Amino acid sequence: MKITGATVFVGGPAKNYVTLKIMTDQGVYGLGDATLNNRETLPAAYLRDYLIPNLIGMDPRNSEDIWQLFYRGAYFRRGPIAMAAFGAIDMALWDIKGKLANMPLYQLFGGKSREGALVYAHATGADLEDLIDSISHYVEQGYKAVRVQCGIPGMPTASYAVPDKKGDVRNYITDYSGIKPKVEIWDTDRYMRYMPGALAEIRGRFGADLKILHDVHHRLLPREGAEFAKAVEPVGLFWLEDPTPAEDQDALKLVRQHSTTPIAIGEVFNSVWDCNKLIENELIDYIRLAATYAGGITPLKRIVDLAGLHHVRTGFHGAPSHSPISMAAQYHLNAWAPNFGIQEYLVLGTPECDALFPSGHRMENGMVFVSDAPGLGVDFDEQEAARYSYSPGSHPVVRLLDGTMWNY
């Protein structure tokens, strides 16, 4: 069996999804997702110019050897561009493997550990009242876990994942359009004074059963992160995400020494070497890598196994930058992983997205149920894809009150 060709598509409904389709001489094809949020043309070019020419003629069943070839053979290893490209290839090869076996991927991993996988929604609001309305909306939809973000009184601009005006609270997604980024102004002191009380009010309003998550998004220094984690202990958060910048693995030691609040981190990581010490030293409770940025299913499955040895559970990234293809890869890993924790979930199921990526995966009452279709269980409509083209965009950037650049 040989790979005969591969095509890269860039575009989608309100997102520049980077979709890879690998074809074989037996007519079986596989799909992968290489979307690198707001840098989408870079992994697409890496695939087209360097990786696909080397794929032609290879046996797609040898996915391990192909992954090692591209990772070790590149010499300059890792990085989000390369790993997103490797991840797309790896997903597509696993998709082919599952179709050849006529089995869903979770069966190739070892079968199901659960029927449904818990997901969390994103609730947000321009202020606390607005946020509570958003949380109520998701609770009414059947969600049992909700990430909560809201505007901080006196903050000069809206902060991470917070709308500029009240009422825009259902399925809110930050506007990334335009190549020049929007500037957000951050005030740590105001955040530290306000947010613990806001979280406590949310707990009082919704009771003990709702799983509440909160994302600091790398904004605090290690000492500040430790203070904040200690302050919110009475709230009983399901997790506190990214309290400090993710590059410094030792920073989490200080947080761990001063608080028992569960910590989740890792969405910006792209290999086991970014998180192995965090896992081995048990400084985190949830690992947040994604199938795309981690280099695909093959390396992510190894990270899940390592995490399981150290009481760390999965909490895979699921922002709108991931297409239904990479989300499907994670759904299969969620079904299998003995140490599954939770899955981030943003509503991708618009009619336009469903038409581009038809799938049998479904979400009901705050749980995702994986399809039993062979392979990834998601397809790609090339005629629909022709409707879309690339549109450049950028993440916002963050500055402190005095203008200093800060961590987004």
Side-chain angles (χ1 to χ4, degrees):
M1 187 176 191
K2 302 295 181 184
I3 295 171
T4 57
T7 307
V8 181
F9 304 84
V10 181
K15 286 299 299 181
N16 296 312
Y17 295 126
V18 181
T19 304
L20 173 68
K21 183 175 183 179
I22 295 179
M23 286 76 72
T24 70
D25 59 0
Q26 294 188 17
V28 180
Y29 62 87
L31 299 171
D33 176 22
T35 308
L36 179 60
N37 205 16
N38 296 309
R39 297 293 184 269
E40 298 92 348
T41 58
L42 301 178
Y46 193 22
L47 282 163
R48 290 179 179 130
D49 296 344
Y50 295 96
L51 303 183
I52 289 174
N54 285 284
L55 273 176
I56 306 305
M58 289 184 169
D59 188 332
R61 295 169 293 189
N62 295 333
S63 55
E64 179 69 52
D65 184 65
I66 291 171
W67 195 91
Q68 296 291 342
L69 169 70
F70 289 138
Y71 181 81
R72 293 176 183 268
Y75 185 65
F76 295 101
R77 299 177 184 175
R78 300 156 59 188
I81 297 168
M83 295 302 270
F86 301 163
I89 292 172
D90 192 67
M91 282 180 232
L93 298 183
W94 274 99
D95 193 22
I96 291 170
K97 208 184 299 280
K99 290 172 179 175
L100 290 173
N102 197 31
M103 289 183 177
L105 286 192
Y106 69 78
Q107 292 289 9
L108 303 187
F109 302 156
K112 283 184 180 178
S113 295
R114 62 199 49 80
E115 289 304 314
L118 181 69
V119 302
Y120 69 89
H122 285 195
T124 187
D127 57 22
L128 182 56
E129 179 187 9
D130 212 24
L131 170 59
I132 288 172
D133 287 344
S134 181
I135 297 169
S136 297
H137 164 71
Y138 287 112
V139 169
E140 290 167 4
Q141 296 295 311
Y143 285 90
K144 302 170 183 66
V146 183
R147 192 194 77 175
V148 301
Q149 314 291 135
C150 74
I152 309 298
M155 198 84 84
T157 68
S159 57
Y160 167 72
V162 171
D164 292 318
K165 61 181 185 299
K166 288 174 66 69
D168 189 11
V169 297
R170 298 187 178 187
N171 302 328
Y172 174 80
I173 296 175
T174 302
D175 182 7
Y176 297 130
S177 61
I179 196 64
K180 290 189 176 182
K182 172 186 173 185
V183 177
E184 297 177 357
I185 305 299
W186 176 257
D187 185 337
T188 296
D189 290 342
R190 290 183 185 276
Y191 172 81
M192 296 277 284
R193 288 195 299 266
Y194 181 76
M195 203 65 210
L199 291 170
E201 187 166 338
I202 292 166
R203 174 59 75 204
R205 183 73 67 95
F206 290 94
D209 290 338
L210 181 66
K211 294 173 172 59
I212 300 172
L213 301 81
H214 178 62
D215 188 357
V216 182
H217 223 250
H218 320 117
R219 302 292 168 88
L220 302 180
L221 300 176
R223 185 208 60 76
E224 295 165 345
E227 179 184 338
F228 188 85
K230 183 69 175 176
V232 300
E233 275 185 6
V235 177
L237 291 179
F238 184 87
W239 80 31
L240 181 66
E241 183 178 345
D242 292 335
T244 63
E247 296 94 334
D248 183 2
Q249 295 198 24
D250 284 339
L252 273 297
K253 291 179 181 178
L254 189 62
V255 179
R256 199 57 137 189
Q257 288 165 359
H258 288 85
S259 174
T260 58
T261 296
I263 301 299
I265 204 164
E267 68 183 54
V268 298
F269 294 163
N270 50 70
S271 85
V272 68
W273 306 111
D274 295 314
C275 59
N276 62 315
K277 296 304 179 186
L278 291 175
I279 292 171
E280 291 166 3
N281 294 325
E282 300 178 10
L283 298 177
I284 59 174
D285 301 275
Y286 297 89
I287 185 63
R288 295 267 295 129
L289 286 93
T292 300
Y293 305 152
I297 293 167
T298 296
L300 188 54
K301 192 172 183 298
R302 290 196 180 99
I303 293 170
V304 173
D305 284 332
L306 174 65
L309 298 177
H310 296 281
H311 320 292
V312 175
R313 291 185 284 179
T314 64
F316 296 140
H317 194 223
S321 50
H322 304 301
S323 88
I325 295 171
S326 58
M327 293 300 291
Q330 294 178 178
Y331 296 159
H332 285 281
L333 289 166
N334 292 335
W336 155 76
N339 53 325
F340 167 77
I342 200 167
Q343 171 67 56
E344 182 176 18
Y345 183 86
L346 270 80
V347 178
L348 298 174
T350 64
E352 296 82 6
C353 201
D354 290 343
L356 184 59
F357 300 102
S359 167
H361 304 297
R362 71 186 196 281
M363 205 283 288
E364 295 177 5
N365 294 319
M367 308 276 282
V368 161
F369 296 88
V370 68
S371 168
D372 283 327
L376 285 168
V378 60
D379 210 341
F380 179 69
D381 190 320
E382 294 185 40
Q383 288 186 327
E384 281 291 317
R387 297 174 52 197
Y388 303 104
S389 59
Y390 171 72
S391 178
S394 288
H395 273 96
V397 297
V398 176
R399 292 186 182 273
L400 301 182
L401 291 170
D402 66 359
T404 302
M405 280 297 302
W406 202 238
N407 308 305
Y408 178 73

